[in-house]
Amino acid sequence: MPVVASMRTILFAGGVALILTLVTSIANASPLHSGQVEVLDGDTIRVAGETFRLVGFDAPETYRAQCPSERELGNRATFRLRQLVADGGLDLERVPCSCPTGTEGTPRCNYGRSCGVLRARGQDVGTLLIAEGLARPYVCGRKSCPKREAWCFVT
């Protein structure tokens, strides 16, 4: 009988942990109306004056593009993100930035931007942009990010 009681305790503890994880995730995601979100480029938004770098993907630059083709693709990614935002059903989940300890929120970490995951109608916008060829995966570690790949190629 003690084995059954131990198993119940383990299952109960595991269930509580799962519920807490789900509640924390839901509590961390904030529903937004499309009018609350300003799209700055294909992977950066502003909400209530706070700028967010969307994580998990990299979109081409627009203002600091290294070549005309990068700027053009960056403009397409920005336009598409604006479409996704305009369609509504938005949730923004704040996540920790991949920066050295003590630098988050400073210019030394992500140019002072916060980090987040934006979902439109339940789908990660980064995943959608990647699937449409407007961005590529860009996954950071806990304290740093890999070097960004160039969008301009010499032919």
Side-chain angles (χ1 to χ4, degrees), residues 4-46:
V4 172
S6 294
M7 290 299 290
R8 284 185 189 149
T9 302
I10 291 169
L11 290 173
F12 177 76
V16 169
L18 177 62
I19 290 169
L20 287 174
T21 300
L22 290 172
V23 168
T24 301
S25 177
I26 292 168
N28 195 23
S30 301
L32 299 169
H33 298 286
S34 59
Q36 295 174 279
V37 179
E38 178 186 1
V39 174
L40 302 179
D41 66 22
D43 55 23
T44 310
I45 62 171
R46 186 175 296 133

Side-chain angles (χ1 to χ4, degrees), residues 5 9 12 15 21-22 34-35 39-40 55 61 74 82 84 88-89 93 102 108 112 114 118 124 128 130 134 140 150:
T9 302
F12 177 76
T21 300
L22 290 172
S34 59
V39 174
L40 302 179
V55 301
E61 296 297 325
R82 285 186 178 132
L84 292 168
E93 179 183 357
R108 288 184 47 218
S114 298
L118 182 65
D124 182 324
L128 295 170
I130 291 167
L134 300 171
C140 297

Side-chain angles (χ1 to χ4, degrees), residues 4 8 10 15-17 27 33-34 39 42 49 51 53 60 77 82 95 106 110 113-114 119 125 141 145 148 152 154:
V4 172
R8 284 185 189 149
I10 291 169
V16 169
H33 298 286
S34 59
V39 174
T51 303
R53 168 59 161 94
R82 285 186 178 132
V95 298
T106 72
N110 208 19
R113 298 175 293 183
S114 298
R119 290 180 186 83
V125 297
C145 294
R148 290 179 67 237
C152 304
V154 178

